Amino acid sequence: MNKRKLAVFDLDGTLFDTGRVNFEAYKEAVEKYGRQINIDNKFFSKYCNGNSCYEFLPCIMPDVTKEQIQCIHEYKKQIYQKYLGAAIKNEHLFWMIPLIRQKYQTAIATTASRKNAEELLNYFGVMEWFDFIIAQEDVKETKPSPECFLLAMKQAEASCKDTIIFEDSKPGLIAAKASGANYMQIYWQHEILADSLLESW
């Protein structure tokens, strides 16, 4: 069946709670280059996770250079996989996706790198649940620009009226609205789960 409808999912904070994963990976990457970030995981999860490192790193490291950010980000991508045990899957949303796939193409649009996105999906064994991924490398502007969502619609040959976007963050929701597509805000009680997981991780 030729499915002309499209469901697009954000990755960090929507399909998975990756706050601890990204925090620990960035913390190690920053320390490798002789720097420190004086924030905790809760602050990172609330204000940084899911956003571009070129946006949040200067906020928590005011004197960091673009070249340093690039080095930190590249190293973070390499060590990301070792922290995947701290990620939490949004089970409620994943229970719905098989039903959605009956009528919709499914895609991911994320500010994460393709490497890290694929590592996360493979870790949980759900790569085949999605028809394609729009990652950081595929766009010139990250969210709140709607570029990633517009590119997903173009690739799926789906109109904005036949597209629904699932997002959790403010930049993501701004981008979803600007794309002209339908969108839903995802909010799930994952912080309690995350705290309990950390105690045993």
Side-chain angles (χ1 to χ4, degrees):
M1 182 177 65
N2 185 18
K3 294 180 282 189
R4 300 304 292 268
K5 294 181 182 292
L6 173 66
V8 186
F9 299 85
D10 171 54
L11 192 68
D12 297 296
T14 298
L15 290 173
F16 301 95
D17 176 358
T18 55
R20 188 70 184 198
V21 185
N22 283 311
F23 174 73
E24 294 294 349
Y26 271 115
K27 184 172 181 287
E28 180 177 334
V30 166
E31 289 174 352
K32 175 181 171 60
Y33 290 94
R35 306 292 298 273
Q36 296 288 331
I37 50 175
N38 297 315
I39 61 171
D40 59 17
N41 175 59
K42 287 187 176 181
F43 182 96
F44 183 90
S45 295
K46 186 172 182 179
Y47 297 107
C48 305
N49 197 44
N51 295 324
S52 168
C53 61
Y54 289 95
E55 296 177 5
F56 72 75
L57 281 178
C59 294
I60 59 179
M61 302 169 63
D63 59 343
V64 71
T65 66
K66 188 174 182 179
E67 290 73 23
Q68 288 172 329
I69 293 175
Q70 181 65 30
C71 291
I72 290 168
H73 179 58
E74 288 301 319
Y75 186 71
K76 174 262 179 184
K77 287 196 296 183
Q78 299 306 314
I79 62 173
Y80 179 84
Q81 192 170 20
K82 82 183 205 180
Y83 293 109
L84 286 174
I88 300 173
K89 183 180 177 184
N90 186 341
E91 296 289 0
H92 293 290
L93 200 50
F94 274 96
W95 287 329
M96 298 177 194
I97 292 175
L99 297 176
I100 294 172
R101 283 179 57 82
Q102 293 177 17
K103 299 289 185 181
Y104 290 74
Q105 297 177 67
T106 51
I108 288 174
T110 177
T111 57
S113 68
R114 181 171 298 277
K115 179 182 186 297
N116 288 166
E118 290 180 351
E119 286 173 342
L120 180 60
L121 294 170
N122 282 322
Y123 181 85
F124 284 94
V126 294
M127 176 70 80
E128 71 279 4
W129 291 38
F130 303 94
D131 297 300
F132 61 91
I133 299 170
I134 304 296
Q136 179 191 80
E137 300 91 332
D138 301 314
V139 298
K140 294 180 180 178
E141 297 182 352
T142 57
K143 304 168 190 176
S145 165
E147 183 181 356
C148 61
F149 297 132
L150 295 174
L151 185 58
M153 286 185 268
K154 181 179 180 180
Q155 184 164 332
E157 298 183 346
S159 66
C160 57
K161 69 180 180 64
D162 287 329
T163 298
I164 185 166
I165 297 167
F166 297 84
E167 263 286 359
D168 71 301
S169 69
K170 184 177 179 180
L173 292 166
I174 292 171
K177 184 176 181 179
S179 75
N182 305 284
Y183 61 94
M184 295 184 67
Q185 181 174 8
I186 299 299
Y187 180 84
W188 50 300
Q189 297 284 3
H190 55 292
E191 290 184 0
I192 296 173
L193 293 173
D195 287 342
S196 63
L197 178 64
L198 289 177
E199 292 175 1
S200 59
W201 187 61

